[in-house]
Amino acid sequence: MAAVQFAVTQAVNVLDAGSLLSAFGAFGVAVVLFAETGLLVGFFLPGDSLLFTAGLLCSGGGHGSVHLSLGPVLAAAAAGALAGAQTGYWIGRRGGRALLARSRARRLHEGAARAEELLTRYGHAKAVVLARFVPVVRTVLNPLAGALEVPVRVFTVWQVIGGLVWTAGLVLGGYALGSSVPNVDRYLLPMVAVVVLVSLTPLALEARRAHTPRTAEGKAS
């Protein structure tokens, strides 16, 4: 039995949404989202593609025999994302900057810089919601908010709003597409790629906005 469990574990690709869902179902959604939004080590996990693919599987439109139920997936996604964000916040209150400083992951530090910029530019409420839609940033903003002592009530209210919009939006988007497009599993990889690119759009827009004033200053001088 132990050998079988080991083989199953080895066969699961944690970077592949379809592999995770095939192995763990709705429970895997909750665990992955908790790790991605609550633990700094989860910054590499595929939250966006996992939610979208889970929605497709709820419609019966993907990955062959794998089928999930919409209600449990929505509940698991919300539970994992909300509990993860709140956990990350409390980790930050108890020394999040020190934990971040010990990490050597370049993407993690870039995400932290972007998260701090969001908090400064947009204020606590808007930044907490926007961060949900940006990979890596949604991992580091929660402990960073705790370290910067964002008020507990403000953080909790807005992380719940952002978490529910993010999880339900992607799951229901996948479900709607899977229900309306025949044999949608043929196009799963391109669609997941599009979801990932769309999720990176806020970062690209922010980088462009940050670059524009500097360009204007250079021309003026």
Side-chain angles (χ1 to χ4, degrees):
M1 180 63 71
V4 172
Q5 290 177 342
F6 178 77
V8 171
T9 301
Q10 289 296 98
V12 176
N13 180 358
V14 296
L15 299 180
D16 179 68
S19 178
L20 284 166
L21 292 167
S22 297
F24 303 114
F27 176 73
V29 174
V31 172
V32 168
L33 293 192
F34 178 86
E36 189 193 16
T37 59
L39 307 175
L40 290 175
V41 294
F43 71 92
F44 62 89
L45 292 169
D48 293 317
S49 58
L50 184 73
L51 290 168
F52 187 78
T53 305
L56 285 175
L57 295 180
C58 290
S59 71
H63 283 294
S65 61
V66 180
H67 181 72
L68 303 176
S69 298
L70 184 60
V73 166
L74 286 171
L82 302 189
Q86 208 67 30
T87 299
Y89 175 84
W90 287 112
I91 289 174
R93 295 275 284 205
R94 296 175 180 271
R97 282 191 180 275
L99 289 172
L100 183 61
R102 287 198 289 269
S103 173
R104 296 181 180 180
R106 182 176 59 85
R107 285 185 64 199
L108 202 58
H109 287 280
E110 289 175 352
R114 182 62 64 189
E116 193 157 9
E117 182 182 342
L118 283 176
L119 285 166
T120 301
R121 177 176 295 188
Y122 296 113
H124 298 158
K126 191 173 181 180
V128 170
V129 173
L130 287 175
R132 286 290 194 178
F133 300 89
V134 186
V136 184
V137 174
R138 63 173 160 261
T139 302
V140 294
L141 184 133
N142 302 320
L144 193 60
L148 295 176
E149 297 187 351
V150 173
V152 177
R153 182 180 179 187
V154 171
F155 177 82
T156 301
V157 168
W158 291 103
Q159 77 95 348
V160 168
I161 292 173
L164 292 177
V165 172
W166 175 55
T167 56
L170 282 174
V171 170
L172 292 176
Y175 180 81
L177 191 62
S179 299
S180 58
V181 178
N183 301 316
V184 71
D185 55 320
R186 296 179 182 177
Y187 318 106
L188 184 59
L189 289 178
M191 285 189 296
V192 168
V194 170
V195 169
V196 172
L197 288 175
V198 170
S199 70
L200 292 173
T201 299
L203 278 178
L205 292 176
E206 284 302 313
R208 183 176 180 181
R209 287 172 188 161
H211 178 70
T212 301
R214 293 174 189 169
T215 305
E217 286 177 11
K219 290 181 179 179
S221 60

mmCIF file of all heavy atoms in Angstrom, residues 150-192:
data_model
loop_
_atom_site.group_PDB
_atom_site.id
_atom_site.type_symbol
_atom_site.label_atom_id
_atom_site.label_comp_id
_atom_site.label_asym_id
_atom_site.label_seq_id
_atom_site.Cartn_x
_atom_site.Cartn_y
_atom_site.Cartn_z
ATOM 1 N N VAL A 150 -1.647 46.694 8.311
ATOM 2 C CA VAL A 150 -2.945 47.066 7.741
ATOM 3 C C VAL A 150 -4.003 46.628 8.751
ATOM 4 O O VAL A 150 -3.938 45.516 9.280
ATOM 5 C CB VAL A 150 -3.167 46.355 6.390
ATOM 6 C CG1 VAL A 150 -4.579 46.590 5.879
ATOM 7 C CG2 VAL A 150 -2.135 46.816 5.372
ATOM 8 N N PRO A 151 -4.981 47.488 9.073
ATOM 9 C CA PRO A 151 -5.988 47.123 10.074
ATOM 10 C C PRO A 151 -6.648 45.777 9.769
ATOM 11 O O PRO A 151 -6.987 45.488 8.623
ATOM 12 C CB PRO A 151 -7.004 48.265 9.982
ATOM 13 C CG PRO A 151 -6.190 49.434 9.517
ATOM 14 C CD PRO A 151 -5.183 48.853 8.557
ATOM 15 N N VAL A 152 -6.828 44.963 10.797
ATOM 16 C CA VAL A 152 -7.358 43.609 10.627
ATOM 17 C C VAL A 152 -8.718 43.633 9.933
ATOM 18 O O VAL A 152 -8.971 42.853 9.011
ATOM 19 C CB VAL A 152 -7.482 42.897 11.991
ATOM 20 C CG1 VAL A 152 -8.116 41.519 11.812
ATOM 21 C CG2 VAL A 152 -6.125 42.759 12.654
ATOM 22 N N ARG A 153 -9.586 44.526 10.379
ATOM 23 C CA ARG A 153 -10.940 44.554 9.802
ATOM 24 C C ARG A 153 -10.896 44.930 8.327
ATOM 25 O O ARG A 153 -11.589 44.321 7.500
ATOM 26 C CB ARG A 153 -11.813 45.541 10.577
ATOM 27 C CG ARG A 153 -13.243 45.572 10.064
ATOM 28 C CD ARG A 153 -14.095 46.555 10.836
ATOM 29 N NE ARG A 153 -15.453 46.596 10.310
ATOM 30 C CZ ARG A 153 -16.386 47.455 10.706
ATOM 31 N NH1 ARG A 153 -16.103 48.350 11.653
ATOM 32 N NH2 ARG A 153 -17.581 47.425 10.185
ATOM 33 N N VAL A 154 -10.102 45.923 7.972
ATOM 34 C CA VAL A 154 -9.994 46.351 6.574
ATOM 35 C C VAL A 154 -9.472 45.212 5.718
ATOM 36 O O VAL A 154 -10.033 44.898 4.657
ATOM 37 C CB VAL A 154 -9.063 47.579 6.457
ATOM 38 C CG1 VAL A 154 -8.777 47.899 4.981
ATOM 39 C CG2 VAL A 154 -9.690 48.787 7.141
ATOM 40 N N PHE A 155 -8.411 44.584 6.163
ATOM 41 C CA PHE A 155 -7.837 43.474 5.392
ATOM 42 C C PHE A 155 -8.833 42.337 5.249
ATOM 43 O O PHE A 155 -9.028 41.802 4.152
ATOM 44 C CB PHE A 155 -6.562 42.962 6.062
ATOM 45 C CG PHE A 155 -5.974 41.775 5.342
ATOM 46 C CD1 PHE A 155 -5.180 41.954 4.226
ATOM 47 C CD2 PHE A 155 -6.250 40.479 5.767
ATOM 48 C CE1 PHE A 155 -4.661 40.860 3.541
ATOM 49 C CE2 PHE A 155 -5.733 39.381 5.091
ATOM 50 C CZ PHE A 155 -4.930 39.572 3.970
ATOM 51 N N THR A 156 -9.482 41.954 6.326
ATOM 52 C CA THR A 156 -10.393 40.808 6.301
ATOM 53 C C THR A 156 -11.566 41.045 5.359
ATOM 54 O O THR A 156 -11.902 40.189 4.523
ATOM 55 C CB THR A 156 -10.911 40.504 7.713
ATOM 56 O OG1 THR A 156 -9.810 40.229 8.586
ATOM 57 C CG2 THR A 156 -11.843 39.302 7.699
ATOM 58 N N VAL A 157 -12.186 42.211 5.454
ATOM 59 C CA VAL A 157 -13.344 42.511 4.597
ATOM 60 C C VAL A 157 -12.960 42.452 3.124
ATOM 61 O O VAL A 157 -13.628 41.803 2.305
ATOM 62 C CB VAL A 157 -13.933 43.891 4.948
ATOM 63 C CG1 VAL A 157 -14.937 44.326 3.882
ATOM 64 C CG2 VAL A 157 -14.598 43.849 6.318
ATOM 65 N N TRP A 158 -11.845 43.096 2.776
ATOM 66 C CA TRP A 158 -11.497 43.201 1.359
ATOM 67 C C TRP A 158 -10.848 41.946 0.807
ATOM 68 O O TRP A 158 -10.987 41.649 -0.392
ATOM 69 C CB TRP A 158 -10.642 44.438 1.120
ATOM 70 C CG TRP A 158 -11.459 45.678 1.320
ATOM 71 C CD1 TRP A 158 -11.452 46.507 2.402
ATOM 72 C CD2 TRP A 158 -12.453 46.176 0.434
ATOM 73 N NE1 TRP A 158 -12.390 47.503 2.253
ATOM 74 C CE2 TRP A 158 -13.011 47.330 1.045
ATOM 75 C CE3 TRP A 158 -12.933 45.793 -0.816
ATOM 76 C CZ2 TRP A 158 -14.012 48.083 0.442
ATOM 77 C CZ3 TRP A 158 -13.934 46.538 -1.412
ATOM 78 C CH2 TRP A 158 -14.458 47.664 -0.787
ATOM 79 N N GLN A 159 -10.160 41.175 1.650
ATOM 80 C CA GLN A 159 -9.633 39.912 1.138
ATOM 81 C C GLN A 159 -10.761 38.923 0.899
ATOM 82 O O GLN A 159 -10.686 38.107 -0.016
ATOM 83 C CB GLN A 159 -8.551 39.338 2.078
ATOM 84 C CG GLN A 159 -9.050 38.675 3.352
ATOM 85 C CD GLN A 159 -9.212 37.156 3.215
ATOM 86 O OE1 GLN A 159 -9.167 36.614 2.111
ATOM 87 N NE2 GLN A 159 -9.403 36.480 4.341
ATOM 88 N N VAL A 160 -11.820 38.994 1.693
ATOM 89 C CA VAL A 160 -12.985 38.134 1.462
ATOM 90 C C VAL A 160 -13.670 38.512 0.151
ATOM 91 O O VAL A 160 -14.000 37.648 -0.673
ATOM 92 C CB VAL A 160 -13.973 38.216 2.642
ATOM 93 C CG1 VAL A 160 -15.309 37.557 2.276
ATOM 94 C CG2 VAL A 160 -13.384 37.541 3.882
ATOM 95 N N ILE A 161 -13.869 39.810 -0.058
ATOM 96 C CA ILE A 161 -14.504 40.260 -1.304
ATOM 97 C C ILE A 161 -13.654 39.857 -2.509
ATOM 98 O O ILE A 161 -14.144 39.276 -3.482
ATOM 99 C CB ILE A 161 -14.711 41.788 -1.275
ATOM 100 C CG1 ILE A 161 -15.765 42.153 -0.225
ATOM 101 C CG2 ILE A 161 -15.133 42.302 -2.656
ATOM 102 C CD1 ILE A 161 -15.914 43.639 0.009
ATOM 103 N N GLY A 162 -12.367 40.177 -2.463
ATOM 104 C CA GLY A 162 -11.485 39.829 -3.576
ATOM 105 C C GLY A 162 -11.379 38.333 -3.787
ATOM 106 O O GLY A 162 -11.378 37.855 -4.927
ATOM 107 N N GLY A 163 -11.299 37.572 -2.690
ATOM 108 C CA GLY A 163 -11.174 36.124 -2.801
ATOM 109 C C GLY A 163 -12.396 35.469 -3.429
ATOM 110 O O GLY A 163 -12.273 34.569 -4.260
ATOM 111 N N LEU A 164 -13.579 35.938 -3.046
ATOM 112 C CA LEU A 164 -14.803 35.368 -3.609
ATOM 113 C C LEU A 164 -14.957 35.723 -5.083
ATOM 114 O O LEU A 164 -15.354 34.874 -5.898
ATOM 115 C CB LEU A 164 -16.021 35.857 -2.813
ATOM 116 C CG LEU A 164 -16.131 35.333 -1.373
ATOM 117 C CD1 LEU A 164 -17.338 35.951 -0.679
ATOM 118 C CD2 LEU A 164 -16.219 33.805 -1.349
ATOM 119 N N VAL A 165 -14.645 36.955 -5.450
ATOM 120 C CA VAL A 165 -14.739 37.359 -6.863
ATOM 121 C C VAL A 165 -13.742 36.573 -7.708
ATOM 122 O O VAL A 165 -14.077 36.082 -8.795
ATOM 123 C CB VAL A 165 -14.489 38.872 -7.005
ATOM 124 C CG1 VAL A 165 -14.388 39.263 -8.481
ATOM 125 C CG2 VAL A 165 -15.605 39.669 -6.339
ATOM 126 N N TRP A 166 -12.525 36.441 -7.205
ATOM 127 C CA TRP A 166 -11.471 35.733 -7.948
ATOM 128 C C TRP A 166 -11.817 34.256 -8.139
ATOM 129 O O TRP A 166 -11.811 33.749 -9.270
ATOM 130 C CB TRP A 166 -10.150 35.877 -7.202
ATOM 131 C CG TRP A 166 -9.004 35.100 -7.776
ATOM 132 C CD1 TRP A 166 -8.528 35.160 -9.063
ATOM 133 C CD2 TRP A 166 -8.187 34.141 -7.086
ATOM 134 N NE1 TRP A 166 -7.458 34.299 -9.213
ATOM 135 C CE2 TRP A 166 -7.221 33.666 -8.016
ATOM 136 C CE3 TRP A 166 -8.166 33.662 -5.775
ATOM 137 C CZ2 TRP A 166 -6.264 32.722 -7.669
ATOM 138 C CZ3 TRP A 166 -7.205 32.723 -5.429
ATOM 139 C CH2 TRP A 166 -6.263 32.268 -6.364
ATOM 140 N N THR A 167 -12.130 33.565 -7.050
ATOM 141 C CA THR A 167 -12.383 32.125 -7.149
ATOM 142 C C THR A 167 -13.651 31.821 -7.935
ATOM 143 O O THR A 167 -13.642 31.013 -8.866
ATOM 144 C CB THR A 167 -12.462 31.480 -5.751
ATOM 145 O OG1 THR A 167 -13.465 32.149 -4.964
ATOM 146 C CG2 THR A 167 -11.129 31.575 -5.029
ATOM 147 N N ALA A 168 -14.742 32.484 -7.569
ATOM 148 C CA ALA A 168 -16.009 32.205 -8.256
ATOM 149 C C ALA A 168 -15.935 32.619 -9.721
ATOM 150 O O ALA A 168 -16.461 31.926 -10.595
ATOM 151 C CB ALA A 168 -17.150 32.932 -7.549
ATOM 152 N N GLY A 169 -15.285 33.749 -10.000
ATOM 153 C CA GLY A 169 -15.198 34.232 -11.376
ATOM 154 C C GLY A 169 -14.496 33.244 -12.292
ATOM 155 O O GLY A 169 -14.986 32.926 -13.386
ATOM 156 N N LEU A 170 -13.351 32.718 -11.864
ATOM 157 C CA LEU A 170 -12.601 31.794 -12.710
ATOM 158 C C LEU A 170 -13.275 30.426 -12.804
ATOM 159 O O LEU A 170 -13.330 29.827 -13.884
ATOM 160 C CB LEU A 170 -11.176 31.652 -12.179
ATOM 161 C CG LEU A 170 -10.233 32.806 -12.530
ATOM 162 C CD1 LEU A 170 -8.894 32.649 -11.828
ATOM 163 C CD2 LEU A 170 -10.016 32.899 -14.036
ATOM 164 N N VAL A 171 -13.796 29.923 -11.687
ATOM 165 C CA VAL A 171 -14.471 28.623 -11.723
ATOM 166 C C VAL A 171 -15.706 28.691 -12.618
ATOM 167 O O VAL A 171 -15.927 27.826 -13.481
ATOM 168 C CB VAL A 171 -14.854 28.148 -10.309
ATOM 169 C CG1 VAL A 171 -15.761 26.916 -10.384
ATOM 170 C CG2 VAL A 171 -13.609 27.822 -9.488
ATOM 171 N N LEU A 172 -16.520 29.714 -12.426
ATOM 172 C CA LEU A 172 -17.744 29.838 -13.226
ATOM 173 C C LEU A 172 -17.435 30.148 -14.684
ATOM 174 O O LEU A 172 -18.171 29.734 -15.585
ATOM 175 C CB LEU A 172 -18.649 30.922 -12.633
ATOM 176 C CG LEU A 172 -19.246 30.582 -11.260
ATOM 177 C CD1 LEU A 172 -20.037 31.768 -10.715
ATOM 178 C CD2 LEU A 172 -20.125 29.342 -11.329
ATOM 179 N N GLY A 173 -16.338 30.868 -14.929
ATOM 180 C CA GLY A 173 -15.927 31.120 -16.309
ATOM 181 C C GLY A 173 -15.568 29.817 -17.014
ATOM 182 O O GLY A 173 -15.979 29.572 -18.159
ATOM 183 N N GLY A 174 -14.799 28.962 -16.341
ATOM 184 C CA GLY A 174 -14.465 27.660 -16.914
ATOM 185 C C GLY A 174 -15.692 26.789 -17.100
ATOM 186 O O GLY A 174 -15.826 26.091 -18.113
ATOM 187 N N TYR A 175 -16.588 26.843 -16.107
ATOM 188 C CA TYR A 175 -17.811 26.045 -16.187
ATOM 189 C C TYR A 175 -18.690 26.491 -17.367
ATOM 190 O O TYR A 175 -19.218 25.661 -18.122
ATOM 191 C CB TYR A 175 -18.594 26.179 -14.887
ATOM 192 C CG TYR A 175 -19.882 25.386 -14.852
ATOM 193 C CD1 TYR A 175 -19.871 24.026 -14.562
ATOM 194 C CD2 TYR A 175 -21.110 26.006 -15.102
ATOM 195 C CE1 TYR A 175 -21.043 23.295 -14.531
ATOM 196 C CE2 TYR A 175 -22.284 25.277 -15.079
ATOM 197 C CZ TYR A 175 -22.250 23.922 -14.789
ATOM 198 O OH TYR A 175 -23.406 23.199 -14.773
ATOM 199 N N ALA A 176 -18.846 27.795 -17.534
ATOM 200 C CA ALA A 176 -19.669 28.321 -18.625
ATOM 201 C C ALA A 176 -19.080 27.940 -19.980
ATOM 202 O O ALA A 176 -19.804 27.543 -20.900
ATOM 203 C CB ALA A 176 -19.799 29.841 -18.505
ATOM 204 N N LEU A 177 -17.774 28.052 -20.118
ATOM 205 C CA LEU A 177 -17.140 27.709 -21.388
ATOM 206 C C LEU A 177 -17.255 26.222 -21.667
ATOM 207 O O LEU A 177 -17.572 25.801 -22.788
ATOM 208 C CB LEU A 177 -15.669 28.122 -21.355
ATOM 209 C CG LEU A 177 -14.932 28.077 -22.688
ATOM 210 C CD1 LEU A 177 -15.563 29.056 -23.683
ATOM 211 C CD2 LEU A 177 -13.458 28.413 -22.497
ATOM 212 N N GLY A 178 -17.020 25.410 -20.644
ATOM 213 C CA GLY A 178 -17.131 23.971 -20.825
ATOM 214 C C GLY A 178 -18.535 23.516 -21.170
ATOM 215 O O GLY A 178 -18.730 22.529 -21.881
ATOM 216 N N SER A 179 -19.535 24.256 -20.674
ATOM 217 C CA SER A 179 -20.931 23.896 -20.935
ATOM 218 C C SER A 179 -21.378 24.306 -22.329
ATOM 219 O O SER A 179 -22.333 23.737 -22.875
ATOM 220 C CB SER A 179 -21.846 24.564 -19.902
ATOM 221 O OG SER A 179 -21.529 24.142 -18.598
ATOM 222 N N SER A 180 -20.701 25.288 -22.909
ATOM 223 C CA SER A 180 -21.169 25.828 -24.189
ATOM 224 C C SER A 180 -20.330 25.394 -25.389
ATOM 225 O O SER A 180 -20.799 25.495 -26.527
ATOM 226 C CB SER A 180 -21.190 27.366 -24.139
ATOM 227 O OG SER A 180 -19.903 27.879 -23.840
ATOM 228 N N VAL A 181 -19.120 24.908 -25.166
ATOM 229 C CA VAL A 181 -18.242 24.520 -26.271
ATOM 230 C C VAL A 181 -18.084 23.001 -26.295
ATOM 231 O O VAL A 181 -17.555 22.421 -25.342
ATOM 232 C CB VAL A 181 -16.847 25.184 -26.134
ATOM 233 C CG1 VAL A 181 -15.934 24.726 -27.265
ATOM 234 C CG2 VAL A 181 -16.978 26.692 -26.124
ATOM 235 N N PRO A 182 -18.510 22.330 -27.353
ATOM 236 C CA PRO A 182 -18.364 20.866 -27.441
ATOM 237 C C PRO A 182 -16.888 20.463 -27.488
ATOM 238 O O PRO A 182 -16.065 21.142 -28.106
ATOM 239 C CB PRO A 182 -19.068 20.522 -28.765
ATOM 240 C CG PRO A 182 -19.943 21.703 -29.062
ATOM 241 C CD PRO A 182 -19.234 22.887 -28.494
ATOM 242 N N ASN A 183 -16.563 19.342 -26.842
ATOM 243 C CA ASN A 183 -15.199 18.815 -26.851
ATOM 244 C C ASN A 183 -14.166 19.874 -26.468
ATOM 245 O O ASN A 183 -13.102 19.993 -27.087
ATOM 246 C CB ASN A 183 -14.851 18.243 -28.236
ATOM 247 C CG ASN A 183 -15.779 17.133 -28.659
ATOM 248 O OD1 ASN A 183 -16.101 16.243 -27.873
ATOM 249 N ND2 ASN A 183 -16.233 17.178 -29.902
ATOM 250 N N VAL A 184 -14.485 20.632 -25.428
ATOM 251 C CA VAL A 184 -13.619 21.744 -25.040
ATOM 252 C C VAL A 184 -12.256 21.268 -24.556
ATOM 253 O O VAL A 184 -11.288 22.028 -24.547
ATOM 254 C CB VAL A 184 -14.325 22.588 -23.951
ATOM 255 C CG1 VAL A 184 -14.384 21.822 -22.633
ATOM 256 C CG2 VAL A 184 -13.631 23.927 -23.767
ATOM 257 N N ASP A 185 -12.153 19.996 -24.150
ATOM 258 C CA ASP A 185 -10.868 19.493 -23.654
ATOM 259 C C ASP A 185 -9.778 19.520 -24.721
ATOM 260 O O ASP A 185 -8.596 19.530 -24.407
ATOM 261 C CB ASP A 185 -11.018 18.075 -23.094
ATOM 262 C CG ASP A 185 -11.625 17.123 -24.092
ATOM 263 O OD1 ASP A 185 -12.564 17.528 -24.807
ATOM 264 O OD2 ASP A 185 -11.148 15.981 -24.153
ATOM 265 N N ARG A 186 -10.180 19.558 -25.997
ATOM 266 C CA ARG A 186 -9.189 19.656 -27.077
ATOM 267 C C ARG A 186 -8.437 20.983 -27.022
ATOM 268 O O ARG A 186 -7.310 21.084 -27.497
ATOM 269 C CB ARG A 186 -9.876 19.527 -28.442
ATOM 270 C CG ARG A 186 -10.545 18.188 -28.692
ATOM 271 C CD ARG A 186 -11.197 18.191 -30.062
ATOM 272 N NE ARG A 186 -11.900 16.941 -30.326
ATOM 273 C CZ ARG A 186 -12.609 16.711 -31.430
ATOM 274 N NH1 ARG A 186 -12.677 17.651 -32.380
ATOM 275 N NH2 ARG A 186 -13.224 15.559 -31.596
ATOM 276 N N TYR A 187 -9.090 21.995 -26.489
ATOM 277 C CA TYR A 187 -8.501 23.336 -26.468
ATOM 278 C C TYR A 187 -8.058 23.750 -25.068
ATOM 279 O O TYR A 187 -7.815 24.928 -24.809
ATOM 280 C CB TYR A 187 -9.528 24.353 -26.986
ATOM 281 C CG TYR A 187 -10.295 23.884 -28.190
ATOM 282 C CD1 TYR A 187 -11.628 23.477 -28.091
ATOM 283 C CD2 TYR A 187 -9.681 23.807 -29.438
ATOM 284 C CE1 TYR A 187 -12.330 23.024 -29.200
ATOM 285 C CE2 TYR A 187 -10.378 23.359 -30.558
ATOM 286 C CZ TYR A 187 -11.699 22.973 -30.426
ATOM 287 O OH TYR A 187 -12.380 22.522 -31.522
ATOM 288 N N LEU A 188 -7.948 22.772 -24.168
ATOM 289 C CA LEU A 188 -7.682 23.099 -22.765
ATOM 290 C C LEU A 188 -6.354 23.822 -22.580
ATOM 291 O O LEU A 188 -6.287 24.856 -21.903
ATOM 292 C CB LEU A 188 -7.709 21.829 -21.915
ATOM 293 C CG LEU A 188 -7.540 22.047 -20.409
ATOM 294 C CD1 LEU A 188 -8.636 22.947 -19.872
ATOM 295 C CD2 LEU A 188 -7.530 20.709 -19.662
ATOM 296 N N LEU A 189 -5.285 23.293 -23.155
ATOM 297 C CA LEU A 189 -3.973 23.917 -22.958
ATOM 298 C C LEU A 189 -3.921 25.346 -23.488
ATOM 299 O O LEU A 189 -3.442 26.247 -22.782
ATOM 300 C CB LEU A 189 -2.883 23.060 -23.606
ATOM 301 C CG LEU A 189 -2.574 21.734 -22.894
ATOM 302 C CD1 LEU A 189 -1.503 20.955 -23.657
ATOM 303 C CD2 LEU A 189 -2.116 21.992 -21.468
ATOM 304 N N PRO A 190 -4.412 25.623 -24.717
ATOM 305 C CA PRO A 190 -4.414 27.020 -25.173
ATOM 306 C C PRO A 190 -5.257 27.933 -24.282
ATOM 307 O O PRO A 190 -4.875 29.078 -24.018
ATOM 308 C CB PRO A 190 -5.025 26.930 -26.586
ATOM 309 C CG PRO A 190 -4.756 25.536 -27.027
ATOM 310 C CD PRO A 190 -4.840 24.703 -25.786
ATOM 311 N N MET A 191 -6.393 27.422 -23.780
ATOM 312 C CA MET A 191 -7.249 28.259 -22.938
ATOM 313 C C MET A 191 -6.583 28.565 -21.600
ATOM 314 O O MET A 191 -6.663 29.679 -21.088
ATOM 315 C CB MET A 191 -8.603 27.582 -22.722
ATOM 316 C CG MET A 191 -9.493 27.654 -23.939
ATOM 317 S SD MET A 191 -11.173 27.080 -23.600
ATOM 318 C CE MET A 191 -10.879 25.375 -23.193
ATOM 319 N N VAL A 192 -5.904 27.559 -21.035
ATOM 320 C CA VAL A 192 -5.187 27.786 -19.782
ATOM 321 C C VAL A 192 -4.075 28.802 -20.001
ATOM 322 O O VAL A 192 -3.828 29.667 -19.156
ATOM 323 C CB VAL A 192 -4.635 26.461 -19.226
ATOM 324 C CG1 VAL A 192 -3.649 26.730 -18.091
ATOM 325 C CG2 VAL A 192 -5.775 25.577 -18.733
#
